């Protein structure tokens, strides 16, 4: 899970990713960040997801758990 968190922190351009927050809580989360996350999920985790799915998670931790399940 740490690797996924590091990738998300890099995409969101933050030092410390608070996984209790939602993606929308970060002002750095915009349509480009969502597209970058979608591309990373496809290439690194062989999963597809829509931006609305990403925004719908109650926390970044819940997102990570779903991706790694």
């Amino acid at each position: 899970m740490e690797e996924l968190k590091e990738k998300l922190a890099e995409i969101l351009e933050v030092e410390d990713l608070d996984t209790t927050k939602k993606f929308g809580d970060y002002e750095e989360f915009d349509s480009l960040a969502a597209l970058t996350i979608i591309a990373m999920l496809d290439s690194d985790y062989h999963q597809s997801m829509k931006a609305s799915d990403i925004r719908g998670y109650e926390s970044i931790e819940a997102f990570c758990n779903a991706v790694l399940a």
Side-chain angles (χ1 to χ4, degrees), residues 1-6 19 45 60-61 64-66 68:
M1 182 175 293
E2 289 305 313
E3 181 181 347
L4 177 55
K5 289 179 186 177
E6 288 174 15
T19 58
Y45 297 94
I60 295 172
E61 184 171 7
C64 292
N65 289 331
L68 298 174

Side-chain angles (χ1 to χ4, degrees), residues 1 9-10 12 17-19 23 33 35 45 52-53 55 57-58 64 66 69:
M1 182 175 293
E10 185 176 324
L12 293 173
L17 184 68
D18 182 352
T19 58
F23 283 103
L35 288 174
Y45 297 94
S52 60
D53 297 332
R55 285 187 195 95
Y57 281 96
E58 62 188 44
C64 292

Side-chain angles (χ1 to χ4, degrees), residues 3-69:
E3 181 181 347
L4 177 55
K5 289 179 186 177
E6 288 174 15
K7 289 177 183 184
L8 292 172
E10 185 176 324
I11 291 168
L12 293 173
E13 299 176 353
V14 295
E15 287 291 321
D16 294 315
L17 184 68
D18 182 352
T19 58
T20 64
K21 291 184 175 183
K22 292 183 173 191
F23 283 103
D25 293 340
Y26 284 96
E27 65 182 50
E28 297 85 358
F29 184 75
D30 56 11
S31 58
L32 180 58
L35 288 174
T36 306
I37 292 169
I38 290 167
M40 180 266 300
L41 287 175
D42 184 49
S43 66
D44 296 356
Y45 297 94
H46 309 290
Q47 295 185 29
S48 61
M49 201 175 284
K50 294 184 274 185
S52 60
D53 297 332
I54 294 170
R55 285 187 195 95
Y57 281 96
E58 62 188 44
S59 67
I60 295 172
E61 184 171 7
F63 168 83
C64 292
N65 289 331
V67 169
L68 298 174

